[in-house]
């Protein structure tokens, strides 16, 4: 068995072939129950796509090994992070595509493949990215808990078998299972043939198994416990409707929507009076056979019974999941989406129209609005007649005008809620880290305001106003996993940068015609030898923060780079003290070897290097004037153009410099062109230069500071540099050298920070086609001694971080105006003009025609465009009373019978947090007492009117004043006397729950 047999990376086919093969697999693979799909980090996959699309085997977008690091909570458990989103955080690839990618690229060591099965869920096939993770324990010892994962399609029996096995339950024992949610309520899992999904078992719950006692009793049904729970339920007589809803695992979006609907008087009264029973529509193919309506009615009746502090809406949740697969499982959803689904589901389940007739829509044809609107409403009611329509449906007019033939199309459409846009700020606040040229300065976190549609250069300009650095001396980069995910061109759009990206802005030395933009990574060597990868002789792991520095082309010798890096890292890399034992014995015949190798530039096998006369510890050369000098100013000054160092690296230089993507450096472009016509140069360099993956660099030459002072030594070196062979080190130094180990070695790498590259059809040596990347590789012991991890991670906050972010406030009326503002249709959504007979980007105008009894207004806080996804934190100032729509209504009141258009607020669904995570709650006014409450899952607290308008408000419920009835009960408290804790009406529940909490709702058989 040879070392190579471990090699897992096969020779991949050409890039075009790769792209075609994978793309067709992605396109053609269909979900089939039981099939395996694989989760792949989206960034890695994007990079791979970029790579194969580049068509260049040597492209810097080479993605390296498949790396799912970012998907894991940590690298010990390899537990996948929660709430990752498909196509945002990861992509799913079918098994065949995965195996190909794995064969071609391999996988970062130690990472498990994220294989997931396709499961057959009600109404959908789905890759089960997140299996249900539950805790298992025995009733007799609830301290001993294990974690286990099950598919939603597994049966409860599978779980029972798992418990029996895990806890070595004797075979033949008579068992029963309970599931306990986080709020400690327990429910019996009676039917072991039921699926995990149908049993409403979800992640985070505990499955408890008990075994029948010898006397025939069950441990869980001791009488005193059960009596307790019955008494508890009997004794509570709370305010009807003031009832929490238990969170069943990220179901706050559902609870929030339910509380708003529960506090919508006409709808709740309809259910409490059981009017729904006569109207259940079991035959409507668009409905859910009455099941949603019945499940909803059950929840409402429990909430308004006054018997519960909190209700567990488990059956309701399962029904919703059955009919709308997007609400299945464990992921966070949108309360407005659920609301929309629910109103639709309730409507169809309760539709009084049993047979929908087909109605042909007539064009408005310049008939008066009144006539067309009445016809549209009549037609709508002929097909749709339910409590939902009665309560929530209104009518708006939509006018489309063709830009070419001026055809005007008018339609009147019913709506169930208004989705109103928020004025989108043209500016954007970004948080970035500024990395100064001063090697002693810590990175500084800044908050800058930039135009949303701006370019990367606008970010530099904005930052420049805070610090004394010119925009052209900045480079902006996205740092991800200790490497550069992207180095931005100043012309690129800021929309490429997401708020959650870690953006670093690097100060560069003043533009030097002959400079190279060098990306520097830090890597730690692992101890084993990595045979699988071919060219590299050790495995490496990236760590710390990468750096970008502009290096004069004349200073790219390994030795100079070593010095330069030491200097640049001086804040957290301690230069070795001369007394420290880094020296190693010199071997006799080594001198000749070294001499030979050096004529080529970097020596290939230069483990130890001579130490020059002069101070051994390198001094930072530019620390006295860090801000306006080149990072490498001193070395440049020290070496005239024809210096030995430069010529020693002539070829290496050409390679390093040819790739600089620095867009403002014309020299780089020229160099690149130059190199591309001279492939020989590149490959030569690949053999001998940085790119060859050689071992340690030379130990520091005499510090260049000395050189700038023009001392004797310097002159000697200069003199030497002019004599052939140019790259030999001065004889004097060779004579007195002694060997030293350097702190780290320098290695050319790809943009991913890996040394080895997939050898494609080109098979050529490494070259930098766009951007030079080098890594400095540390042995573990050297890193421990000289690299100060704590210091490396330090940063400071600029005062801009302390300025509270300005809250913009808009009036709700402005949002409604925006809703009715004429707009031009977007390219993706054109209108088919019946006159032109083609799709046109028509102008569109919406107007409100008639409004419902209960008006739902959805504030479009989640803004998704092609390029940006954001949540708008704007405060929308909405009135609690007297929201007057008369000025927005197109229909002018023709008689006194017209309903008024004034509304009072009755409920608000709130969303806290960002785009993907967050929490939903609601404010709602009790219909009987007119008291406001704050509903936060199972907790309910009193609320005062002043609390209600916040930037979390997401969906607003307004009730038309003519329909509002006087409260039948006095308000339970007068707002002035209330304090936070006194108001917590659930506190008594919490105390009670403290006594034997887990048994309270365990039911008897
Ligand atoms: Zn037209």
């Amino acid at each position: 068995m040879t070392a190579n047999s471990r090699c897992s990376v096969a020779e991949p086919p050409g890039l075009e072939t790769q792209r075609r093969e994978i793309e067709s697999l992605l396109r053609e693979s269909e979900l089939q129950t039981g099939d395996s799909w694989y989760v792949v980090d989206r960034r890695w996959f994007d990079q791979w796509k970029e790579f194969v699309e580049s068509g260049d085997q040597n492209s810097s977008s080479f993605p390296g090994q498949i790396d799912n690091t970012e998907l894991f909570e940590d690298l010990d458990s390899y537990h996948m992070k929660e709430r990752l989103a498909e196509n945002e955080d990861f992509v799913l690839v079918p098994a065949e595509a995965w195996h190909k990618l794995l064969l071609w690229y391999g996988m970062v060591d130690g990472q498990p493949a994220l294989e997931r099965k396709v499961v057959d869920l009600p109404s959908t096939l789905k890759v089960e990215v997140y299996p249900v993770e539950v805790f298992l324990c025995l009733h007799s010892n609830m301290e001993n808990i294990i974690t286990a994962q099950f598919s939603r399609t597994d049966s409860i029996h599978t779980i029972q078998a798992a418990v029996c096995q895990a806890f070595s339950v004797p075979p033949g024992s008579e068992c029963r299972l309970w599931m306990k949610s986080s709020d400690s309520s327990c429910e019996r899992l009676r039917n072991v043939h039921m699926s995990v999904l149908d049993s409403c078992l979800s992640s985070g719950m505990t499955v408890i198994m008990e075994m029948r006692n010898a006397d025939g009793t069950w441990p869980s049904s001791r009488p005193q416990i059960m009596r307790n729970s019955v008494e508890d339920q009997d004794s509570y007589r709370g305010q009807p409707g003031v009832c929490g809803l238990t969170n069943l695992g990220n179901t706050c979006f559902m609870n929030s929507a339910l509380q708003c609907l529960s506090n919508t008087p006409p709808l709740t009264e309809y259910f409490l009076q059981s009017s729904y029973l006569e109207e259940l529509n079991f035959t409507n193919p668009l409905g859910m056979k009455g099941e949603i309506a019945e499940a909803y009615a059950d929840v409402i009746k429990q909430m308004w019974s006054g018997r519960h502090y909190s209700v567990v809406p488990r059956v309701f949740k399962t029904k919703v999941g059955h009919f709308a697969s997007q609400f299945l499982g464990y992921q966070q959803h949108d309360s407005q989406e659920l609301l929309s689904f629910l109103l639709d589901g309730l409507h169809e389940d309760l539709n009084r129209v049993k047979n929908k007739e087909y109605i042909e829509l007539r064009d408005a044809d310049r008939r008066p609005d009144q006539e067309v609107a009445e016809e549209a409403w009549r037609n709508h009611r002929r097909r749709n007649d339910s409590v939902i329509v009665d309560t929530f449906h209104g009518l708006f007019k939509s006018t489309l005008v063709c830009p070419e033939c001026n055809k005007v199309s008018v339609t009147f459409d019913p709506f169930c809620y208004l989705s109103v846009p928020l004025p989108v700020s043209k500016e954007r606040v970004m948080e970035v880290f500024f990395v100064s040229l001063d090697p002693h300065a810590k990175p500084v976190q800044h908050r800058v305001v930039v135009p949303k549609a701006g370019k990367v250069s606008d970010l530099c300009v904005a930052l420049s106003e805070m610090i004394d650095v010119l925009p052209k001396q900045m480079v902006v980069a996205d740092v991800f996993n200790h490497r550069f995910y992207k180095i931005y061109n100043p012309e690129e759009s800021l929309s490429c940068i997401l708020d959650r990206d870690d953006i670093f802005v690097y100060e560069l030395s003043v533009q030097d015609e002959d400079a190279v933009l060098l990306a520097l990574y830090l890597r730690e060597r692992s101890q084993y030898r990595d045979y699988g990868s071919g060219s590299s002789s050790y495995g490496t792991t990236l760590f710390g923060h990468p750096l970008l520095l502009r290096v004069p082309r004349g200073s790219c010798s390994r030795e100079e780079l070593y010095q330069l890096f030491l200097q640049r890292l001086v804040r957290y890399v301690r230069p070795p003290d001369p007394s420290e034992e880094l020296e190693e014995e010199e071997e006799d015949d080594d001198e000749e070897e070294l001499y030979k190798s050096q004529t080529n530039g970097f020596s290939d096998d230069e483990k130890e290097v001579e130490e020059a006369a002069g101070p051994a510890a390198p001094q930072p050369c530019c620390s006295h004037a860090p801000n306006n000098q080149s990072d490498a100013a001193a070395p440049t000054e020290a070496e005239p153009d024809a210096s030995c160092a430069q010529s020693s690296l002539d070829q290496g230089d050409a390679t390093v410099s040819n790739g600089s993507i620095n867009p403002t450096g014309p020299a780089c472009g020229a160099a690149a062109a130059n190199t591309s016509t001279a492939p020989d140069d590149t490959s030569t360099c690949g053999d001998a230069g940085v790119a060859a993956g050689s071992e340690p660099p030379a130990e520091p030459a005499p510090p260049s500071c000395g050189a700038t002072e023009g001392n004797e030594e310097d002159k000697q070196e200069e003199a030497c540099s002019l004599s052939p062979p140019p790259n030999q080190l001065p004889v004097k130094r060779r004579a007195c050298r002694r060997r030293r180990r350097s702190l780290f070695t320098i290695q050319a790498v790809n943009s991913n920070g890996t040394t080895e590259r997939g050898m494609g059809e080109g098979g050529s040596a490494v070259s930098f086609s766009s951007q030079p990347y080098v890594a400095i590789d540390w042995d573990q012991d050297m890193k421990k001694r000289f690299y100060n991890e704590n210091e490396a991670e330090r940063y400071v906050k600029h005062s801009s971080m302390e300025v509270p972010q300005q809250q913009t406030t808009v009036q709700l009326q402005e949002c409604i105006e925006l809703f009715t503002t004429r707009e031009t249709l977007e390219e993706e959504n054109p209108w088919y003009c019946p006159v032109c007979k083609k799709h046109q980007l028509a102008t569109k105008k919406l107007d409100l025609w008639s409004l419902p009894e209960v008006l739902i207004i959805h504030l479009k806080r989640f803004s998704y465009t092609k390029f940006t996804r954001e949540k708008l934190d704007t405060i929308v100032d909405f009135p609690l009373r007297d929201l007057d729509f008369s000025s927005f209504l197109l229909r002018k009141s023709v008689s006194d019978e017209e309903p008024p258009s004034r509304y009072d607020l009755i409920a608000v669904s709130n969303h806290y947090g960002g785009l993907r995570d967050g929490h939903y709650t609601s404010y709602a006014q009790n219909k009987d007492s007119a008291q406001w409450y704050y509903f936060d899952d199972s907790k309910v607290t009193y609320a005062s009117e002043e609390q209600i308008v916040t930037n979390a408000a997401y969906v607003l419920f307004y009730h038309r004043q003519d329909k509002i009835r006087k409260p039948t009960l006095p308000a339970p408290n007068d707002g002035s006397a209330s304090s936070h804790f006194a108001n917590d009406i659930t506190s008594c529940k919490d105390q009670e729950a403290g006594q034997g909490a887990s048994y309270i709702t365990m039911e008897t058989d």
Side-chain angles (χ1 to χ4, degrees):
M1 186 160 177
T2 66
N4 277 338
S5 66
R6 221 204 100 205
C7 178
S8 56
V9 179
E11 177 107 343
L15 298 184
E16 181 53 26
T17 314
Q18 289 188 32
R19 190 183 64 76
R20 260 200 331 272
E21 287 186 17
I22 299 297
E23 271 180 8
S24 78
L25 284 170
L26 287 178
R27 205 173 37 244
E28 285 152 24
S29 302
E30 284 174 5
L31 294 177
Q32 300 221 354
T33 311
D35 276 4
S36 288
W37 285 60
Y38 287 80
V39 178
V40 178
D41 183 276
R42 201 261 308 163
R43 292 210 193 204
W44 185 89
F45 192 74
D46 280 356
Q47 186 139 16
W48 171 79
K49 275 203 299 202
E50 200 183 314
F51 179 56
V52 293
E53 276 160 17
S54 76
D56 174 10
Q57 286 285 356
N58 296 318
S59 159
S60 69
S61 55
F62 176 71
Q65 293 169 315
I66 301 174
D67 187 355
N68 283 336
T69 304
E70 280 300 295
L71 304 179
F72 297 115
E73 252 163 27
D74 58 73
L75 297 182
D76 296 321
S77 69
Y78 287 114
H79 198 276
M80 236 174 102
K81 282 179 189 162
E82 277 180 19
R83 297 182 200 166
L84 297 177
E86 188 179 351
N87 296 329
E88 194 172 318
D89 302 297
F90 65 85
V91 292
L92 289 168
V93 300
E96 199 184 340
W98 166 261
H99 290 304
K100 282 181 193 285
L101 289 172
L102 188 65
L103 192 68
W104 300 334
Y105 293 91
M107 185 150 195
V108 169
D109 280 317
Q111 287 192 9
L114 291 169
E115 179 182 3
R116 294 293 187 267
K117 296 280 185 197
V118 178
V119 293
D120 189 2
L121 297 175
S123 75
T124 185
L125 282 174
K126 226 179 162 119
V127 178
E128 194 173 40
V129 176
Y130 290 100
V132 175
E133 189 174 278
V134 294
F135 307 107
L136 307 177
C137 67
L138 293 181
H139 184 269
S140 52
N141 180 7
M142 296 193 0
E143 305 288 289
N144 184 12
I145 294 174
I146 62 160
T147 310
Q149 294 191 336
F150 299 95
S151 164
R152 283 168 186 78
T153 56
D154 282 341
S155 68
I156 297 302
H157 190 266
T158 314
I159 299 184
Q160 182 170 323
V163 183
C164 288
Q165 202 194 357
F167 297 103
S168 313
V169 173
S173 304
E174 202 180 334
C175 320
R176 51 184 204 183
L177 296 177
W178 299 84
M179 60 177 173
K180 185 175 119 185
S181 16
S182 52
D183 68 344
S184 295
S185 67
C186 277
E187 240 178 272
R188 176 80 200 277
L189 289 163
R190 288 162 204 277
N191 186 348
V192 293
H193 304 296
M194 231 188 201
S195 69
V196 166
L197 177 74
D198 286 336
S199 308
C200 300
L201 189 62
S202 53
S203 289
M205 291 171 55
T206 307
V207 174
I208 305 164
M209 189 167 97
E210 60 174 343
M211 278 85 76
R212 196 194 280 275
N213 295 324
D215 65 0
T217 59
W218 290 99
S220 70
S221 46
R222 277 167 296 156
Q224 69 275 20
I225 294 167
M226 301 325 297
R227 213 186 304 125
N228 229 352
S229 89
V230 173
E231 271 171 8
D232 178 62
Q233 290 290 323
D234 273 345
S235 61
Y236 182 63
R237 280 280 176 264
Q239 163 85 56
V242 182
C243 174
L245 288 165
T246 300
N247 192 325
L248 300 169
N250 285 332
T251 54
C252 56
F253 74 100
M254 182 181 86
N255 293 345
S256 170
L258 277 176
Q259 290 291 2
C260 291
L261 284 179
S262 162
N263 286 290
T264 298
L267 187 65
T268 290
E269 276 155 21
Y270 170 85
F271 280 101
L272 291 180
Q273 289 155 13
S274 295
S275 315
Y276 70 99
L277 289 174
E278 291 153 32
E279 299 188 339
L280 283 173
N281 187 331
F282 302 108
T283 56
N284 185 351
L286 297 172
M288 327 276 176
K289 301 187 175 62
E291 289 183 35
I292 287 283
E294 286 189 306
Y296 179 78
D298 285 347
V299 174
I300 292 298
K301 287 183 172 183
Q302 287 182 61
M303 289 170 76
W304 288 82
S305 69
R307 287 165 173 260
H308 308 279
Y309 299 104
S310 182
V311 164
V312 186
R314 183 164 289 125
V315 175
F316 176 77
K317 190 208 163 203
T318 312
K319 294 288 178 205
V320 169
H322 271 194
F323 295 110
S325 60
Q326 73 266 33
F327 297 114
L328 275 176
Y330 193 51
Q331 263 169 312
Q332 184 63 265
H333 292 284
D334 186 324
S335 66
Q336 190 272 329
E337 276 172 32
L338 179 85
L339 201 58
S340 161
F341 163 81
L342 189 54
L343 289 172
D344 195 48
L346 287 175
H347 162 64
E348 298 295 357
D349 264 6
L350 298 166
N351 200 343
R352 298 163 192 133
V353 177
K354 307 292 178 206
N355 292 304
K356 292 196 181 189
E357 55 181 316
Y358 175 72
I359 297 166
E360 190 154 11
L361 290 174
R362 276 181 67 195
D363 198 86
D365 230 1
R366 295 193 203 144
R367 289 180 289 155
D369 278 351
Q370 185 75 25
E371 186 187 328
V372 183
E374 277 170 11
E375 179 184 273
W377 186 247
R378 233 180 7 253
N379 287 344
H380 178 57
R381 295 298 301 239
R382 272 159 73 189
R383 292 167 56 86
N384 300 283
D385 182 13
S386 71
V387 65
I388 301 297
V389 177
D390 298 343
T391 313
F392 297 103
H393 283 201
L395 200 64
F396 62 69
K397 176 190 177 185
S398 115
T399 310
L400 287 150
V401 180
C402 175
E404 210 171 301
C405 68
N406 290 322
K407 156 81 183 167
V408 177
S409 161
V410 171
T411 53
F412 283 83
D413 301 300
F415 65 83
C416 198
Y417 53 87
L418 295 181
S419 280
V420 301
L422 268 56
V424 179
S425 160
K426 295 200 161 43
E427 293 189 322
R428 167 179 177 188
V429 176
M430 291 182 79
E431 286 175 11
V432 300
F433 290 96
F434 174 71
V435 181
S436 162
L437 206 49
D438 176 358
H440 294 278
K442 300 181 183 75
V444 184
Q445 192 181 25
H446 289 262
R447 192 176 275 161
V448 292
V449 179
V450 293
K452 221 174 244 177
K455 297 172 182 170
V456 168
S457 55
D458 293 311
L459 168 61
C460 299
V461 170
L463 188 60
S464 173
E465 281 162 15
M466 289 187 196
I467 51 178
D468 196 19
V469 174
L470 293 172
K472 64 173 186 190
Q473 275 174 256
M474 298 178 184
V475 174
V476 178
D478 178 351
V479 173
F480 173 69
N481 257 349
H482 315 291
R483 57 186 157 227
F484 291 112
Y485 180 64
K486 183 148 197 211
I487 299 171
Y488 289 99
N489 181 306
E491 289 304 306
E492 278 179 90
S493 163
L494 282 176
S495 63
C496 307
I497 302 178
L498 303 180
D499 283 342
R500 62 194 161 101
D501 293 340
D502 287 326
I503 299 301
F504 282 73
V505 181
Y506 295 87
E507 181 186 4
L508 300 181
S509 53
V510 268
Q511 186 75 44
D512 180 334
E513 291 256 315
D514 218 19
V516 176
L517 184 65
L518 198 66
L520 175 65
Y521 293 160
L522 301 172
R523 303 196 299 184
E524 181 175 350
R525 270 181 220 137
S526 34
Q527 273 156 340
Y528 61 88
R529 294 193 147 242
D530 184 6
Y531 296 107
S533 58
S535 63
S536 174
S537 59
Y538 48 79
T540 54
T541 319
L542 288 162
F543 69 93
H545 296 287
L547 285 171
L548 277 174
L549 41 160
R550 196 179 273 160
V551 185
R553 220 172 340 147
S555 305
C556 286
S557 75
R558 197 169 281 276
E559 194 170 311
E560 282 167 304
L561 288 178
Y562 180 82
Q563 278 291 8
L564 177 60
F565 296 162
L566 265 186
Q567 219 182 82
R568 193 70 189 79
L569 302 170
V570 70
R571 186 167 62 84
Y572 43 91
V573 173
R574 181 172 64 85
D577 200 270
S579 64
E580 278 180 280
E581 294 167 8
L582 292 175
E583 294 90 2
E584 283 176 61
E585 282 297 306
E586 183 184 343
E587 280 164 42
D588 280 337
D589 56 349
D590 218 37
E591 194 166 332
E592 191 63 21
E593 285 294 312
L594 187 63
Y595 179 87
K596 266 195 280 185
S597 64
Q598 279 183 339
T599 58
N600 243 351
F602 299 166
S603 77
D604 257 320
D605 190 21
E606 204 176 345
K607 275 248 186 272
E608 299 96 38
V609 287
E610 59 191 327
E611 185 182 25
Q619 304 292 318
C621 298
C622 335
S623 57
H624 55 282
N627 277 329
N628 45 19
Q629 254 186 311
S630 160
D631 324 30
T636 328
E637 284 158 22
E639 329 278 12
D641 271 348
S643 78
C644 55
Q646 200 211 354
S647 34
S648 77
L649 270 180
D650 235 341
Q651 289 151 342
D653 287 351
T655 313
V656 169
S657 59
N658 81 46
S660 169
I661 57 159
N662 190 334
T664 48
C668 309
N674 202 11
T675 315
S676 63
T677 57
D680 285 347
D681 268 11
T682 315
S683 60
T684 316
C685 153
D687 292 331
V690 187
S694 53
E695 286 279 307
E699 170 65 7
S704 312
C705 325
T708 55
E709 286 155 38
N711 64 13
E712 199 55 31
E713 173 107 4
D714 183 47
K715 283 183 188 137
Q716 217 165 348
E717 194 167 327
E718 261 183 63
C720 140
S721 72
L722 299 170
S723 58
N727 28 19
Q728 275 182 37
L729 289 167
V731 176
K732 173 191 160 202
R733 284 210 261 151
R734 225 175 337 134
C736 68
R737 73 182 176 171
R738 83 185 187 267
R739 321 204 111 239
R740 284 195 56 175
R741 246 175 103 193
S742 46
L743 295 185
F744 48 76
T745 64
I746 301 173
Q747 180 95 5
V749 293
N750 60 24
S751 64
N752 229 20
T754 48
T755 315
E756 61 283 347
R757 322 230 5 196
M759 286 304 186
E761 57 254 74
S764 62
V766 178
S767 76
F768 300 110
S769 57
S770 58
Q771 160 80 49
Y773 292 85
V774 297
I776 60 178
D777 290 354
W778 294 72
D779 279 330
Q780 284 165 351
D781 59 323
M782 295 298 265
K783 184 185 163 212
K784 237 174 245 153
R785 280 170 69 187
F786 294 100
Y787 180 82
N788 182 338
E789 203 159 323
N790 288 337
E791 182 57 36
E793 294 302 319
R794 279 197 186 112
Y795 68 95
V796 288
K797 289 192 176 198
H798 184 257
S799 55
S800 58
M801 294 297 294
E802 267 129 56
V803 179
Q805 276 188 273
Q806 269 209 331
Q807 284 282 9
T808 35
T809 301
V810 299
Q811 299 298 314
L812 177 61
Q813 284 83 346
E814 294 174 54
C815 302
I816 299 168
E817 268 167 40
L818 269 179
F819 175 79
T820 59
T821 301
R822 187 186 311 275
E823 56 166 14
T824 303
L825 294 181
E826 284 174 19
E827 304 234 357
E828 304 84 62
N829 187 25
W831 170 67
Y832 185 79
C833 173
V835 176
C836 300
K837 306 259 184 263
K838 62 172 178 178
H839 285 96
Q840 296 281 19
L841 299 183
T843 61
K844 182 183 184 184
K845 168 136 177 59
L846 297 175
D847 290 290
L848 296 171
W849 182 261
S850 64
L851 295 175
E853 175 181 341
V854 175
L855 176 64
I856 302 176
I857 301 176
H858 163 223
L859 304 175
K860 285 160 88 173
R861 290 198 178 275
F862 297 100
S863 155
Y864 301 118
T865 66
K866 224 187 300 173
F867 303 107
T868 61
R869 309 183 58 174
E870 59 177 332
K871 189 196 167 191
L872 305 171
D873 271 331
T874 320
I875 293 183
V876 177
D877 189 11
F878 52 91
L880 271 64
R881 287 186 191 79
D882 294 326
L883 172 60
D884 189 353
F885 273 92
S886 49
S887 60
F888 294 113
L889 279 177
L890 198 61
R891 173 174 65 173
K892 295 304 166 202
S893 198
V894 285
S895 72
D896 291 343
E897 284 158 43
E898 292 293 322
S901 42
R902 283 174 183 274
Y903 286 81
D904 288 354
L905 187 75
I906 52 169
V908 179
S909 171
N910 298 306
H911 178 266
Y912 302 91
L915 265 186
R916 295 159 50 218
D917 48 355
H919 185 53
Y920 287 93
T921 65
S922 36
Y923 287 108
Q925 188 181 34
N926 186 276
K927 69 183 176 69
D928 299 328
S929 67
Q931 169 67 38
W932 281 90
Y933 293 93
Y934 181 62
F935 297 91
D936 181 356
D937 288 331
S938 55
K939 259 203 290 221
V940 188
T941 45
Y942 292 120
S944 65
E945 296 190 351
E946 300 79 64
Q947 293 171 267
I948 295 167
V949 177
T950 70
N951 66 349
Y954 180 47
V955 186
L956 313 176
F957 284 62
Y958 278 97
H959 201 182
R960 207 168 59 208
Q961 287 179 344
D962 63 312
K963 295 283 189 178
I964 297 173
R965 261 171 294 157
K966 291 247 158 60
T968 53
L969 296 168
N973 74 328
D974 64 357
S976 59
S978 61
S979 80
H980 270 94
F981 291 109
N983 278 355
D984 189 344
I985 54 173
T986 58
S987 57
C988 57
K989 180 215 169 185
D990 290 341
Q991 284 158 16
E992 282 187 35
Q995 313 159 359
S998 57
Y999 301 102
I1000 282 178
T1001 56
M1002 249 188 185
E1003 48 189 301
T1004 43
D1005 229 352

